[in-house]
């Protein structure tokens, strides 16, 4: 039996167990503890720091290799794919999804789900247009943007309270919010499209600084902040703990409801951030903005190996998964002539998610086999 | 002068429906004491622990911890009061590593409380584990660690959070001998740090070696509290099962107003030979003849329900055979078992037996819908006849047969499950805890029914944790201990103390220590 087998095999001692009984009892003193009798050294499996808070350390590696392989193959087929222009475009496209995923991932780690982010984005885009546009209220950016950010956080807070205080399952609560907010967005748009956002906002969103628009900068900042939150703060540990075993978390005195409301709030806030940095890039604001954003984000979260039942998952995987999914459409454009290829985008996203789930099942089954042997 | 007790429980009472889970239980645990808590299944130990953990709210009585009254039914309040509960499967956070498990909720931080001080926490975690005599890697998810180390994680957390009262609920039930010794050594270290320990275990030898005093509960009531030096194993068992031998005969005469169901049982109907399903039961052999009631005694976790499920084909078995009336079953098929004339009334009627949202009549006719229907449509008139017969026979008290089944009382719900299977006229009836949680009247009726069915020639396997019930009803009693047959008694030789003595485990799981798990 290998060391790893044994570690995976709770409750079973090594085969060399001598015949001594429990009667050794209270006073018995031992040199070394039995559980670690095989010694505290090296075993490569233990020293893999990266297994911390991760189901299988290999998921990120797999995603990264897949991205590289795709880039390699498509680049070989058409070298234009490897130029800066293409990757600049991919970067800009994946920025809002990365920002929103950081929030939704925390919601999922806590064992909940939020499918309302697309509608939140639509409503906030309408709010942004209504307040800032030169044909509308013409507010200052310093008033309109904070209002949008605050509104995003508030909307998330409402969903969070429905889920915790109202005890509505999160999928139902956010489904309700999704439909409601989409309706509000349509109402707020008043049946027309909005353009004429202030030049500064449009410039930041389209051009940005050092050749990179505001979106990727914001994504970088949000990823860093979320990473620190999850791995370096007490809040992060408590989030993982609560997702891992909600009942124990309650018994340990953790504010379970507070944490869950915070997660929805954070997801709403980040959706607002994504709205502010990305929407002004578009020629005009329509009520259909953000449709299916939630599906894209949840697909990424699942693909990254975040456990849908909570407690496990890493941000690095989420970021890579978003990049991979964003790649699908441009890759198809490059590989085929015209638009025929793009029609496959959805199907391939779906294939990815099923592959991820099946591979999870498969590795879980292998684990169990190993244990029962 | 003795210091005030860490835990004082006074006149604690709790009722679940018809059952009194706890009546006026009073108990004190002092500083540095390891206090054992004993009792049969259903004696009230679990209820007491749940109340202490803040999961269940008692109906009456009071608890003080360290002189301060404990607020009931508030999750988290118990931990604040310094109570730590450790179950057989410790409630750790499986995805977090040991360091986070030890500190979550009380993290060490720098820079104004925001930045985690991982290295300080790691040092202290290792020191705490070392104080308990353990050293294992603290930076992998504890879900990947063996059970013994997860328990040590939970103990270390209790120690770090300044726990004053540690409650251990059968902590050694699935540990090997060496792990048990390590756990006991760790518990003793906690005791030396002035932690009071309440220790629940069925392993009496273990209690004698580690505990300082013992309290016995029976049927929810306090029976005795004594220093362990002043009582022996036999005395403890006697206190757990209660009635002395003479009283039992009286009991039996009173309850068994009908003589043994069949003085000479007919031909063997159910023969179970060397049945095994690792890791729950091994080498189980027994038989039941026509008209015979065979009881199956044992503690929770002894594998009784699992054996019934395997016989009935719900679970597969690895080895052995089930022979019904001379014909060997293939195993793993409920259909086959039903066709052979078997019926199972499962243990948990809410999860496995009843379809709570369906009507009473639908629940009864469920098992024989194929017979009652033509072209896929149920023939209502015949269904009504079958249902009416069972309702009458079992005297189920109801408004209308079309009422939802959850409107019935526990006893009547149990009768509905019985009725469903009786209407299929089985030859072999497997009953798993048929009277748990039902009131006295319904219990007597169910007993009466079991006897009558046996009188009609049915072979009955009765699994029960209620020893008097087994002793009064059964022709033979098979005792299981840790998945193995530990003894078999004829009706006239069985006493509660003997059965209990066989059912109690005294050594750590043999399958683990001797490495004979297949």
């Amino acid at each position: 039996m290998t060391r790893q087998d044994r570690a995976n095999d709770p409750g079973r001692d090594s085969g060399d167990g001598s015949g001594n009984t429990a009667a050794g009892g209270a006073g018995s003193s031992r040199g070394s503890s039995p559980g670690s009798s095989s010694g505290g050294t090296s075993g490569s499996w233990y020293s893999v720091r990266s297994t911390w808070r991760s189901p299988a350390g290999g998921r990120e590696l797999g995603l990264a290799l897949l991205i590289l392989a795709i880039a390699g193959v498509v680049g070989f087929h058409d070298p234009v794919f490897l130029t800066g222009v293409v990757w600049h475009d991919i970067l800009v496209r994946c920025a809002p999804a990365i920002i929103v995923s950081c929030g939704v991932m925390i919601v999922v780690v806590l064992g909940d789900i939020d499918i309302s982010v697309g509608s939140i984005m639509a409503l906030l885009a309408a709010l942004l247009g209504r307040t800032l546009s030169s044909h509308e209220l013409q507010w200052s950016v310093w008033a309109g943007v904070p209002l949008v950010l605050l509104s995003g956080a508030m909307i998330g807070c409402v969903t969070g309270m429905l889920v915790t205080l109202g005890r509505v399952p999160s999928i139902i609560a956010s489904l309700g919010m999704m439909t409601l907010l989409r309706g509000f967005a349509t109402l707020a748009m008043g049946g027309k499209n909005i353009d004429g956002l202030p030049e500064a906002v449009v410039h930041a969103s389209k051009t940005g600084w050092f050749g990179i628009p505001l979106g990727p900068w914001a994504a970088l900042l949000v990823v860093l902040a979320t990473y620190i939150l999850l791995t370096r703060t007490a809040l992060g540990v408590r989030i993982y703990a609560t997702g891992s075993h909600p009942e124990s978390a309650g018994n340990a005195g953790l504010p379970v409801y507070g944490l869950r409301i915070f997660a929805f709030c954070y997801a709403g806030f980040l959706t607002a951030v994504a709205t502010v940095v990305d929407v002004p890039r578009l020629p005009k604001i329509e009520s259909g903005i953000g449709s299916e954003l939630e599906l894209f984000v949840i697909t990424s979260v699942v693909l990254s190996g975040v456990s849908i039942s909570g407690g496990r998952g890493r941000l690095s995987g989420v970021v890579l998964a978003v990049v991979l999914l964003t790649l699908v459409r441009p890759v198809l454009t490059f590989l085929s002539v015209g638009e025929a290829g793009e029609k496959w985008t959805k199907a391939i996203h779906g294939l990815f998610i099923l592959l991820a789930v099946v591979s999870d099942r498969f590795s879980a089954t292998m684990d169990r086999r190993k244990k029962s042997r | 002068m003795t210091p005030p007790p860490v835990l004082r429980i006074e006149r604690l009472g709790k009722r679940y429906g018809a059952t009194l889970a706890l009546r006026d239980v009073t108990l004190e645990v002092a500083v540095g004491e390891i206090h054992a808590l004993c009792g049969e299944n259903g004696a009230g130990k679990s209820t007491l622990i749940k109340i202490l953990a803040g999961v269940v709210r008692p109906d009456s009585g009071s608890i003080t911890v360290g002189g301060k009254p404990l607020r009931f039914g508030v999750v988290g309040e118990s931990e604040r009061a310094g109570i730590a509960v450790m179950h057989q499967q410790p409630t750790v956070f499986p995805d977090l590593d040991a360091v986070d498990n030890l500190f979550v909720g009380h993290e060490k931080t720098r820079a104004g409380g925001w930045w985690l001080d991982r290295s300080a926490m790691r040092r202290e975690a290792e020191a705490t584990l070392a104080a308990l005599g353990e050293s294992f890697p603290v930076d992998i998810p504890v879900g990947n660690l063996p059970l013994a180390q997860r328990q040590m994680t939970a103990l270390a957390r209790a120690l770090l959070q300044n726990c004053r009262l540690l409650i251990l609920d059968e902590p050694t039930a699935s540990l090997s001998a060496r792990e048990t010794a390590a756990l006991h050594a760790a518990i003793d270290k906690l005791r030396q740090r002035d932690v009071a320990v309440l220790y629940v275990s069925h392993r009496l030898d273990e209690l004698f070696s580690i505990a300082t005093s013992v309290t016995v509960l029976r049927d929810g009531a306090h029976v005795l509290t004594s220093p362990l030096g002043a009582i022996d194993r036999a005395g403890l068992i006697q206190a757990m099962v209660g009635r002395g031998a003479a009283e039992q005969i009286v009991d039996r005469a009173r309850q068994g107003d009908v003589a043994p169901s069949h003085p000479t049982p007919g031909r063997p109907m159910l023969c179970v030979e060397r049945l095994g399903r690792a890791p729950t039961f091994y080498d189980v052999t027994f038989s039941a003849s026509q008209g015979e009631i065979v009881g199956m005694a044992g503690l929770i976790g002894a594998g009784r329900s699992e054996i019934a499920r395997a016989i009935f084909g719900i679970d597969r078995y690895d080895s052995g055979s089930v022979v019904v009336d001379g014909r060997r079953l293939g195993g793993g098929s409920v259909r086959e078992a039903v066709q052979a004339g078997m019926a199972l009334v499962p243990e948990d009627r809410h999860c496995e037996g009843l379809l709570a949202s369906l009507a009473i009549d639908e629940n009864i006719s469920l098992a024989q819908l194929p017979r009652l229907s033509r072209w896929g449509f149920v023939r209502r008139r015949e269904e009504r006849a079958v249902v009416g017969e069972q309702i009458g026979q079992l005297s189920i008290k109801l408004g209308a047969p079309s009422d939802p089944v959850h409107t019935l009382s526990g006893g009547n719900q149990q009768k509905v499950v019985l009725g469903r299977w009786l209407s299929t006229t089985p030859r072999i009836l497997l009953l798993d805890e048929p009277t748990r949680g039902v009131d006295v009247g319904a219990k007597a009726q169910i007993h009466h029914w079991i006897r009558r069915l046996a009188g009609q020639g049915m072979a009955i396997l009765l699994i029960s944790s209620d020893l008097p019930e087994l002793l009064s009803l059964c022709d033979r009693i098979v005792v299981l201990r840790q998945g193995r047959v530990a003894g078999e008694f004829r009706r006239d030789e069985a006493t509660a103390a003997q059965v209990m003595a066989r059912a109690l485990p005294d050594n750590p799981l043999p399958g683990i220590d001797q490495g004979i798990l297949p």
Side-chain angles (χ1 to χ4, degrees):
Chain A
M1 206 185 206
T2 67
R3 178 194 185 91
Q4 180 169 353
D5 282 341
R6 201 156 64 227
N8 274 332
D9 199 353
R12 214 171 139 179
D13 207 343
S14 47
D16 60 345
S18 54
N20 65 337
T21 62
S28 82
S29 62
R30 298 148 304 107
S32 72
S33 58
S36 60
S37 56
S38 43
T41 48
S42 63
S44 63
W45 188 70
Y46 282 153
S47 62
V48 180
R49 182 76 172 78
S50 64
T51 55
W52 190 48
R53 289 173 187 167
S54 149
R59 182 55 68 87
E60 280 98 328
L61 191 65
L63 290 170
L65 286 178
L66 205 54
I67 290 170
L68 286 178
I70 289 172
V73 168
V74 181
F76 184 75
H77 176 85
D78 184 352
V80 175
F81 186 73
L82 296 180
T83 57
V85 184
V86 173
W87 287 88
H88 185 271
D89 184 56
I90 290 171
L91 198 62
V92 172
R93 277 174 193 274
C94 66
I98 286 178
I99 294 171
V100 176
S101 301
C102 288
V104 173
M105 177 213 172
I106 295 184
V107 173
V108 176
V109 165
L110 276 161
D112 291 316
I113 197 162
D114 188 347
I115 56 170
S116 66
V117 287
S119 298
I120 295 180
M121 182 175 266
L123 180 59
L124 294 181
L127 188 63
L128 191 73
R130 282 284 186 169
T131 50
L132 296 188
S133 166
S134 53
H135 315 304
E136 306 278 341
L137 294 173
Q138 300 181 12
W139 283 18
S140 144
V141 172
W142 301 110
V145 169
L147 177 72
V148 168
L149 296 180
L150 190 70
S151 307
M154 296 286 286
I155 293 169
C157 200
V158 170
T159 316
M161 297 210 292
L162 281 172
V163 171
T164 52
L165 306 176
R167 292 170 192 248
V168 185
S170 56
I171 183 129
I172 304 298
S174 59
L175 177 72
M177 290 299 278
M178 176 173 103
T179 317
L180 182 75
L181 298 178
R182 184 63 69 183
F184 281 167
T186 312
L187 288 173
M189 296 296 291
K192 52 180 187 182
N193 298 330
I194 301 174
D195 56 5
L197 287 179
E199 191 51 40
V201 178
V202 176
H203 179 267
S205 184
K206 275 187 171 164
T207 322
W209 303 271
F210 308 110
I212 310 269
L214 180 58
W217 290 117
L220 183 70
L221 207 67
V222 166
V223 167
L224 271 179
T226 309
Y227 180 77
I228 287 171
L229 175 95
L230 285 179
T231 60
R232 298 282 183 268
T233 69
L235 187 58
V237 178
R238 291 171 184 202
I239 285 170
Y240 278 99
T242 305
S244 182
H245 202 308
E247 211 186 341
S248 297
N251 288 338
L254 298 187
V256 176
Y257 280 8
L259 290 167
R260 290 166 72 191
I261 292 174
F262 164 79
F264 281 101
C265 209
Y266 190 62
F269 171 75
L270 289 188
T271 308
V273 172
T275 309
V276 170
V277 301
D278 196 57
V279 166
R281 201 167 54 83
L282 307 171
K284 55 183 184 285
I285 299 172
E286 313 162 79
S287 63
I289 278 179
S291 68
E292 301 193 5
L293 174 71
E294 60 280 333
L295 293 181
F296 188 91
V297 165
I298 286 164
T299 307
S300 315
V301 168
V302 171
L303 186 61
S304 75
V306 173
S307 165
I308 205 78
S309 51
R312 283 181 304 190
R314 286 188 294 175
L315 195 58
S316 45
V318 176
V319 173
L320 286 169
V322 172
V323 173
L324 179 65
L325 288 180
T326 312
L327 269 182
V328 172
R329 183 186 286 265
V331 161
L332 288 171
T333 318
F334 268 85
L335 284 182
S336 64
V337 206
E339 288 189 358
E342 288 192 20
K343 293 178 183 148
W344 283 85
T345 312
K346 274 279 162 55
I348 289 176
H349 282 187
L351 219 59
F352 273 138
I353 207 169
L354 292 178
L355 262 176
V357 173
V358 169
S359 78
D360 273 359
R361 280 275 140 244
F362 183 71
S363 64
T365 314
M366 295 308 281
D367 264 12
R368 224 181 2 258
R369 290 233 177 102
K370 215 190 284 171
K371 278 183 198 180
S372 70
R373 236 189 359 236
Chain B
M1 185 199 117
T2 50
V6 174
L7 172 72
R8 173 179 279 145
I9 297 172
E10 268 174 296
R11 300 183 62 81
L12 204 63
K14 175 70 190 172
R15 173 188 287 276
Y16 290 109
T19 3
L20 264 172
L22 286 178
R23 335 177 228 202
D24 283 351
V25 170
T26 299
L27 179 68
E28 282 185 1
V29 183
V31 173
E33 187 184 14
I34 298 182
H35 196 107
L37 188 60
C38 289
E40 292 178 89
N41 295 344
K45 302 180 307 258
S46 311
T47 309
L48 185 60
I49 291 172
K50 281 183 191 154
I51 290 171
L52 284 169
V55 182
V56 167
R57 184 189 293 271
D59 300 329
S60 58
S62 68
I63 297 177
T64 52
V65 182
K68 269 182 263 168
L70 181 74
R71 281 198 299 150
F72 293 128
V74 186
V75 179
E77 181 71 12
S78 293
E79 178 163 304
R80 273 191 288 279
I83 299 178
V85 184
M86 211 175 92
H87 301 280
Q88 191 182 333
Q89 292 292 328
T91 45
V92 291
F93 301 104
D95 301 306
L96 301 190
D97 63 14
V99 177
D100 286 343
N101 259 290
L102 260 52
F103 285 95
V104 68
H106 310 266
E107 301 85 355
K108 286 191 177 305
T109 49
R110 291 178 298 199
W114 273 94
W115 203 266
L116 280 182
D117 194 347
R118 284 273 308 171
S119 55
M121 289 198 290
R122 194 192 159 109
R123 273 196 306 278
E124 197 168 331
E126 281 169 345
T128 310
L129 286 169
L132 291 172
E134 276 291 324
S135 71
F136 55 82
V138 292
D139 51 8
I140 61 168
V142 296
N144 293 345
L145 294 172
L147 175 67
Q149 298 182 353
R150 275 179 284 155
Q151 286 187 331
M152 286 297 178
T153 307
L155 276 187
R157 179 177 170 89
L159 186 60
L160 266 178
Q161 311 311 340
N162 293 320
C163 132
R164 279 188 286 191
L165 173 70
L166 176 66
I167 301 168
L168 295 138
D169 188 4
E170 301 236 26
T172 58
S174 36
L175 294 189
S176 74
R178 294 199 307 167
E179 288 165 337
T180 301
L183 182 71
H184 284 177
I187 292 170
D188 202 55
K189 291 199 176 93
L190 281 168
R191 188 182 65 81
Q192 288 161 15
R193 295 182 176 219
D194 286 344
V195 173
V197 180
L198 191 61
Y199 193 99
V200 179
S201 177
H202 282 305
R203 291 184 185 169
L204 298 189
D205 292 352
E206 182 177 298
L207 296 185
F208 279 104
S209 77
I210 187 175
T212 50
S213 49
V214 61
T215 289
V216 177
L217 297 182
R218 184 172 68 229
D219 299 332
H222 175 269
V223 176
L224 70 80
T225 296
S226 147
L228 263 170
I231 192 167
D232 63 355
R233 191 183 154 89
L236 206 52
I237 292 177
Q238 196 59 57
M240 284 161 70
V241 297
R243 297 155 284 278
E247 293 165 279
Q248 277 174 35
I249 293 166
V250 178
D251 269 4
R252 205 178 295 171
R254 198 185 301 127
Q255 293 189 356
D257 45 343
V258 181
S261 48
H262 243 241
T264 47
R267 65 178 195 281
M269 282 303 293
L270 174 68
C271 294
V272 177
E273 291 259 356
R274 301 182 63 88
L275 204 66
R277 176 183 160 85
T280 34
F281 56 88
Y282 307 90
D283 243 358
V284 173
T285 301
F286 69 92
S287 68
S289 302
Q290 244 183 340
E292 195 180 26
I293 305 175
V294 176
M296 199 174 258
L299 301 171
I300 289 167
R304 295 170 301 164
S305 304
E306 289 81 359
I307 291 170
R309 286 169 62 91
I311 293 173
F312 195 57
I314 298 173
D315 299 330
R316 293 199 156 273
Y317 39 87
D318 312 328
S319 57
S321 64
V322 176
V323 178
V324 174
D325 200 13
R327 208 167 61 82
R328 186 179 166 159
L329 300 188
S333 160
V334 175
R335 227 181 135 84
E336 182 191 39
V338 171
Q339 274 163 3
M342 246 192 261
L344 169 72
V345 179
E347 181 181 12
D348 185 346
R349 61 173 173 271
H350 296 292
C351 296
E352 298 174 32
L354 282 179
L355 302 161
S357 56
L358 291 190
I360 297 162
D361 51 0
E362 289 166 322
N363 263 291
I364 292 179
S365 62
L366 190 71
Q368 39 178 347
L369 280 182
R371 198 171 65 74
L372 291 176
S373 49
R374 184 187 289 153
W375 312 119
F377 293 96
V378 179
R379 292 183 290 185
R380 300 295 298 187
R381 197 182 322 170
E382 283 167 46
E383 184 189 12
R384 263 200 296 278
V386 167
V387 169
E389 187 192 335
Q390 292 306 327
I391 290 174
Q393 271 192 346
L394 292 167
S395 52
I396 301 173
K397 289 190 193 66
L398 46 71
S402 55
D403 287 347
V405 78
H406 62 74
T407 58
L408 296 180
S409 71
N412 282 305
Q413 289 183 0
Q414 189 65 39
K415 288 187 201 167
V416 167
V417 182
L418 267 174
R420 175 194 302 165
W421 291 108
L422 293 183
S423 66
T424 65
T425 55
R427 298 186 294 171
I428 300 167
L429 185 60
L430 313 174
L431 296 169
D432 195 355
E433 302 279 3
T435 59
R436 177 188 291 173
V438 308
D439 60 277
V440 182
K443 193 167 172 174
Q445 278 179 321
I446 291 173
H447 286 175
H448 176 70
W449 254 95
I450 293 173
R451 284 204 191 86
R452 239 179 87 180
L453 292 169
Q456 293 164 6
M458 209 179 279
I460 294 175
L461 177 67
L462 173 65
I463 297 173
S464 175
S465 294
D466 185 344
L467 273 181
E469 174 174 291
L470 286 176
L471 292 168
S472 72
L473 275 177
C474 298
D475 300 304
R476 274 184 303 132
I477 297 176
V478 178
V479 186
L480 276 145
R481 175 172 69 208
Q482 293 171 344
R484 291 168 195 278
V485 174
E488 190 174 320
F489 297 95
R490 282 205 319 275
R491 180 186 177 80
D492 47 356
E493 2 172 86
T495 65
Q498 273 177 326
V499 172
M500 198 63 194
R502 290 288 175 92
L504 289 171
D506 16 54
N507 298 314
L509 296 182
I512 285 169
D513 262 31
Q514 296 153 22
I516 51 170
L517 284 175

